[in-house]
Every structure is written in structure tokens, then in C-alpha cells.
Amino acid sequence: MALQGWRLCGVTVTIVIYIGGVLFLSMNNVPGSHPRRIRTERFAEFPNYRNQKHGINQKMTIRWCKELRYMQPELPAEPADAASEFNNPNISDNDDNSKTGLTALASFPGSGNTWLRYLLQQSTGILTGSIYKDYGLLKTGFPGENVCNSSVLLVKTHEWGPKAWAPFSKAILLVRDPEKAIIAEFNRQSGGHVGFASPDRYKRTKGKYWQQFVTNKLRGWELMNLNWAKNFTGNVKIVFYDDLVNNVESVLRSILDFLEFPIDEHLLKCALMRKEGIFRRKKRILSFDPYTPAMRANLEERKQYVFNVLGRTTTTTN
């Protein structure tokens, strides 16, 4: 009898503990019942970054040299409800405003387009636009996403061909070594603008996915650069990414001169002090070479051909 009583007591205690645990967990999962964790972005190269180890935990914001504005406020930005990479209503053939002095910042993906836009916004205080609507960029320093008229300094595009060229009277073509550009684009598709693809991504489907990616992107890299350089009827300024990296001031000055934008020495100095920003991906050394010898031979052959057409006889990759 006593044994049964102890068993009954043990069962009762177990039930009470179980119910108490369920209630405790439920209360802690009610929205608003506990403090929300603040996400801190980690970009160590950014000069305004507040590191958690210093006891400050706040979301990173860009420290601009000058408050950004539109070049022509009388041309309001009217972003489309749904942006498309190939059919943007803000750049239709009948849009006269978009054709007046509009400059394209054209590049193959992964060539440093976003970083150059950042540098130009820093050195001018004027917003840059895009034919796309990248919500990540929209929230981190590029309110001109999907704005394609002369209210912005220039307009980002990765497209080519008559329809892509139609809105523009001139263009800056940003060119990067395809080996670096293709890996940068692979990283962007997997990890965002400053993240990385995991090593396993390169080995997906026994490496066939990566191999096909390289083949397709190398062809796109060649078509993009040659079409803008040879077939665009407007004035084209070719900027090589490695020149921008190695001599930021000189290249920025030449771009501003091409844009016919007056140089503010104070702003330019500030831009150079903050040139790294948050939009350049840190270098990462993989434990393996993602390119096979055959891939590298093909990359080098196509690079030399395109660079020769663009008037580049010697290169420095970054």
C-alpha cells in the first residue's frame, strides 16, 4: 500500500513538473514577452563600425561625406512596382527624360559596380540609380535603386544590346578580370554582396554545376564587355577594376571629368578617406583551386582577346 502511494506521488510530481515546464516555455515564446536581440552587421573595414567587444551594440549605418540628394529634384523618382532585369518601365523607349544626358554604369556582375557607385556617391553627394531594384542595396545606402532618369548621377546596368542602350547617351564600362568577376558573382548569388559561397557549393553535383556556371558566365562576360565597347553608339569610358583599386583618386577624377561633374576637393578627400566602405568583399583564400587547368586556360584566352580589343595590353588582377 505504501509502495503504491509513493508511485502515485512520483507520477503526480512528474506531471506537475512537465506542465510547469510547458507553461514556462510558452510564456517565453510569446511575442514581446522578452527583449528582441539586435542584429549587428560585421564589416570591420567600415570606419563607423561599432564593435560589440567595446560594449556598443547597434545597427551599422553608412557615414556619408555629405547628405545624399537627387541631382534634379524636379524629376521625381517613380520606382516601378515590380522591377525586371530585362523590362524596366522607367527606361522605356518613349521616356524622353531618361534619354537626356543619361549615363550608364555598365559592367558584368561581380566587377565592382556597387563599390564604384558608393565611391561616386561619397565624392559627389549625388545619388546613383539602377535599372534593378535590389532591396539589400535599397536599405544600405542606395535609395536610387530602380531610378532611371537624370535625377541621378548615373544608372547601373548589367544588360547589353539595343534595348539596354536606348536610354543612354554615354556609358562608363567597368571591366574586371573574368576569373575574379565570376567568383565574385558566384559568391554574391550564394552569400549576398559581401558574403561568400561555401566550399561545398563548388562541389555541387560533382563539380558540374560550378563548371557550367563558369562556362555560361565567361560567355556573358565576353558579350557584355565587347558589345558595350564596340556597338554602343554613345561615348564610352572604359575603366578597369584593377586601376580603380590601385589608384582610386586618379580614376575617380577621370570619371568625374567624363561625367562633366565639378570636383569638390573636400568631398573627394573625404571619399578617399572612406574608400573601403562596406561594399568590397574581403579576400578569402580557398583550401582548393576552384578552377581546373582547362578552365584557367579558357579564362586566360578569352580575357586576353577581350582586353586586346579594349586596348589593354598588360593586366594586374585583383
Side-chain angles (χ1 to χ4, degrees), residues 114-159:
T114 302
W115 182 47
L116 182 52
R117 286 176 68 192
Y118 164 80
L119 290 172
L120 289 169
Q121 289 188 168
Q122 285 285 33
S123 57
T124 65
I126 304 297
L127 290 166
T128 61
S130 173
I131 71 166
Y132 314 109
K133 193 170 186 178
D134 186 320
Y135 286 95
L137 295 180
L138 192 66
K139 296 177 180 180
T140 54
F142 295 90
E145 281 293 291
N146 202 220
V147 176
C148 307
N149 57 41
S150 54
S151 67
V152 291
L153 187 66
L154 43 67
V155 177
K156 166 186 175 178
T157 180
H158 296 314
E159 314 304 325

Side-chain angles (χ1 to χ4, degrees), residues 1-10:
M1 194 73 169
L3 181 60
Q4 290 180 348
W6 278 109
R7 286 178 177 175
L8 180 61
C9 180

Side-chain angles (χ1 to χ4, degrees), residues 92-100:
S92 65
D93 293 341
N94 297 323
D95 187 352
D96 291 332
N97 285 334
S98 68
K99 291 186 178 183
T100 305

Side-chain angles (χ1 to χ4, degrees), residues 157-230:
T157 180
H158 296 314
E159 314 304 325
W160 68 87
K163 186 175 180 180
W165 301 327
F168 304 107
S169 60
K170 56 183 181 180
I172 295 168
L173 177 61
L174 182 60
V175 184
R176 190 180 188 184
D177 184 314
E179 176 193 336
K180 304 299 182 183
I182 290 171
I183 281 190
E185 174 60 6
F186 192 68
N187 283 324
R188 185 197 67 81
Q189 290 189 15
S190 300
H193 286 281
V194 294
F196 294 94
S198 67
D200 290 340
R201 291 279 292 175
Y202 293 93
K203 301 173 183 178
R204 182 178 171 185
T205 62
K206 297 182 179 179
K208 293 180 180 179
Y209 176 83
W210 166 243
Q211 186 175 19
Q212 191 60 50
F213 184 90
V214 173
T215 300
N216 293 340
K217 294 304 179 182
L218 180 58
R219 180 59 176 160
W221 176 87
E222 182 176 350
L223 288 172
M224 170 75 196
N225 291 309
L226 291 182
N227 271 273
W228 276 97
K230 296 171 62 177

Side-chain angles (χ1 to χ4, degrees), residues 54 59 62 73 110 177 211 224-225 239 272 294 307:
H54 295 145
K59 190 175 181 179
I62 293 180
D177 184 314
Q211 186 175 19
M224 170 75 196
N225 291 309
V239 175
L272 295 173
F307 276 28

